Amino acid sequence: MAPSVTDDTDDTDDKDDQGAPASPGRERPSRLIDVAVAVLLLIADAIIVVVAVTLLVAVGMGRTRSSGAPVLTWFVIWGGPAVAAAGAVVHARLRMPVTAVVQGLFTLACTVLAVAWTRMLLS
């Protein structure tokens, strides 16, 4: 018996495929993986924020008047929120909503710290 031949130009099957994922590479990770990654990143983010606040207080208390901060300092201060925002966008694109929210909150914390560092350096 000969295999049946189907016409690929027929668009009637497209309506049935709307609920199917576009490709195996775009498949959403499981909720368990999303939560596990979010918890690991939350721990790492908390450590980063505590170290940054400690440095902010230590440098702010021992700071003497200087003419200005080096350019590299500004890249480090404002690079943190930029990298955190990129991480939030990447996790959102990977369809990991819990991790994206955690990274979004970390971005907010980094931005607040960057503003505090900037105010300290400009004062």
Side-chain angles (χ1 to χ4, degrees):
M1 181 174 235
S4 64
V5 178
T6 59
D7 185 16
D8 289 337
T9 60
D10 188 16
D11 291 336
T12 57
D13 291 2
D14 290 339
K15 294 177 185 175
D16 295 335
D17 292 336
Q18 289 178 356
S23 67
R26 300 290 295 175
E27 193 172 303
R28 185 185 174 284
S30 72
R31 182 70 66 181
L32 181 63
I33 291 174
D34 185 19
V35 170
V37 170
V39 168
L40 289 174
L41 287 175
L42 182 65
I43 293 168
D45 295 346
I47 292 169
I48 291 168
V49 168
V50 167
V51 169
V53 168
T54 305
L55 284 174
L56 179 66
V57 170
V59 170
M61 293 180 86
R63 186 170 181 270
T64 60
R65 278 279 193 219
S66 63
S67 61
V71 175
L72 182 60
T73 303
W74 294 110
F75 282 128
V76 170
I77 289 171
W78 287 101
V83 170
V89 169
V90 165
H91 285 100
R93 296 275 301 160
L94 290 173
R95 299 174 60 185
M96 299 175 76
V98 177
T99 306
V101 168
V102 167
Q103 290 303 99
L105 292 173
F106 179 61
T107 301
L108 182 65
C110 285
T111 303
V112 168
L113 287 171
V115 168
W117 272 96
T118 300
R119 289 177 53 107
M120 183 191 69
L121 290 175
L122 293 178
S123 64

